[in-house]
Amino acid sequence: MTGWFTVHRALQRGDLGALERLLLEPDLERADIAREVDQLISSRNRNDWIAMPNAHLQVHGVLLITLASYPTPARIAVTMSRRLLLERLWNAPVEAMVRVVLARDVPWHAELGRRVLERLTPSSADLYPFGAALLAATGTPLAQPVEPGTVVGWLQAAIARLQRPGPRTDQTAADALLADPLGLQPLPGIFAGGVERALGLQVQVDHRGTSLLPAGIAQLAARGQADRSALLSGAIERLLRGGSPADLRPYLLLVDHLTPTLAEWEPHGSDLLALTGSEVGAVVTEAQSVLHRLHGYGRVSDEAIL
């Protein structure tokens, strides 16, 4: 039987490969290990983690043990979401985490993925890569409507891919979004409240910070991989809800990169009129510019302009 002593020794060494092999053993003493790792997590405070060499490897190991031993998906999701663990989650071994879960003879693999994603928030979405990978591995579609925390995790994951060496362009931004295990399933949620900051995240392009995700999303529409009309309508609706200039800037960028034709703008005439009353100058300028173009082609009345 593979028990806590052996598992704990691998954890203390920070040897995640050896730890995973132990956790995949069929004779793992899950109940005993779950009790011991629960006590370990409860006994450590923030200072303990800070003082620990290679604390992130310890956290990764604790998460692997949790996934291999805890009896229910609810308990796993709650434990994984503890702030003290999330603070040291960076570069988590997502593939190993998924393997450990799928090796268990339980009926709740997909449920665990759903529960992990449900607990994400716009300010704490670090577990998204694991939840998304687990849903993808089980062939489980993402529930709609998509929660803001899930969308933020999706956008942050795309930014992480763009940070790798290589070109950073509209095309590579689109590819980074498509490369997600869940593909474009989170895309309809980009207009939800709380997503704005993640949509506007910048990467360095020619020594300048550039928000590439709106351009990448527009590129998906240009390829026919995303619904152009839905994106324009969603962006307009988000602008109508208002917000700070920083909140609305990513949606203005999206509209700009979509480069709508006058025929595409025409059904939104009343919305454009409403946007001329926005408290954000850039929104007013865009709405007035489009209205004047529509008026020049006789697609809005003189009264509407006046």
Side-chain angles (χ1 to χ4, degrees):
M1 300 288 285
T2 304
W4 172 247
F5 178 80
T6 305
V7 168
H8 189 224
R9 189 166 55 185
L11 174 65
Q12 288 178 312
R13 294 199 307 270
D15 189 343
L16 298 185
L19 181 60
E20 181 187 354
R21 289 191 293 273
L22 290 171
L23 297 175
L24 294 176
E25 291 289 336
D27 62 350
L28 191 68
E29 296 180 339
R30 299 186 194 277
D32 176 60
I33 291 171
R35 182 175 60 254
E36 295 289 344
V37 76
D38 197 44
Q39 291 176 0
L40 183 150
I41 294 170
S42 299
S43 68
R44 289 181 178 172
N45 59 34
R46 179 172 281 102
N47 290 333
D48 293 331
W49 288 112
I50 291 173
M52 189 177 299
N54 296 321
H56 68 288
L57 292 179
Q58 293 294 306
V59 168
H60 296 169
V62 165
L63 292 179
L64 286 170
I65 296 169
T66 299
L67 291 167
S69 64
Y70 276 19
T72 67
R75 187 175 169 191
I76 293 173
V78 170
T79 299
M80 293 182 74
S81 301
R82 294 181 64 154
R83 183 171 297 277
L84 288 179
L85 298 180
L86 291 177
E87 287 175 351
R88 287 151 190 87
L89 187 65
W90 59 276
N91 202 27
V94 171
E95 293 181 0
M97 291 163 69
V98 171
R99 286 194 297 268
V100 165
V101 173
L102 295 182
R104 298 188 63 175
D105 185 17
V106 293
W108 42 254
H109 297 150
E111 181 185 350
L112 175 58
R114 288 195 299 268
R115 284 181 178 272
V116 167
L117 294 183
E118 285 169 0
R119 295 187 66 83
L120 303 182
T121 68
S123 62
S124 181
D126 294 334
L127 282 170
Y128 172 82
F130 168 66
L134 190 53
L135 282 190
T138 58
T140 306
L142 187 62
Q144 301 287 340
V146 187
E147 294 296 324
T150 297
V151 181
V152 168
W154 178 64
L155 295 170
Q156 289 176 342
I159 286 292
R161 295 184 192 98
L162 283 170
Q163 298 285 13
R164 298 168 185 167
R168 296 170 183 169
T169 65
D170 299 2
Q171 295 281 358
T172 58
D175 294 339
L177 292 163
L178 273 173
D180 193 86
L182 295 179
L184 300 182
Q185 292 183 68
L187 179 59
I190 63 170
F191 307 109
V195 172
E196 303 88 356
R197 181 174 297 183
L199 185 60
L201 284 171
Q202 296 186 341
V203 294
Q204 288 294 313
V205 180
D206 296 330
H207 308 292
R208 295 187 306 167
T210 303
S211 297
L212 273 183
L213 294 182
I217 292 169
Q219 187 58 228
L220 292 170
R223 297 176 183 176
Q225 295 169 309
D227 187 331
R228 178 183 176 86
S229 176
L231 290 174
L232 179 60
S233 296
I236 293 171
E237 289 170 8
R238 179 62 192 86
L239 293 173
L240 285 168
R241 296 205 304 272
S244 69
D247 286 344
L248 300 186
R249 182 175 178 273
Y251 302 99
L252 283 171
L253 285 173
L254 175 57
V255 170
D256 182 57
H257 286 291
L258 286 171
T259 59
T261 65
L262 290 181
E264 289 173 311
W265 275 121
E266 190 170 4
H268 300 287
S270 60
D271 293 329
L272 289 166
L273 287 170
L275 288 174
T276 61
S278 172
E279 296 181 357
V280 177
V283 174
V284 175
T285 299
E286 176 70 14
Q288 289 177 338
S289 173
V290 176
L291 281 171
H292 281 291
R293 286 166 54 207
L294 288 170
H295 178 257
Y297 283 87
R299 300 195 180 198
V300 296
S301 66
D302 294 342
E303 292 79 6
I305 292 294
L306 294 175

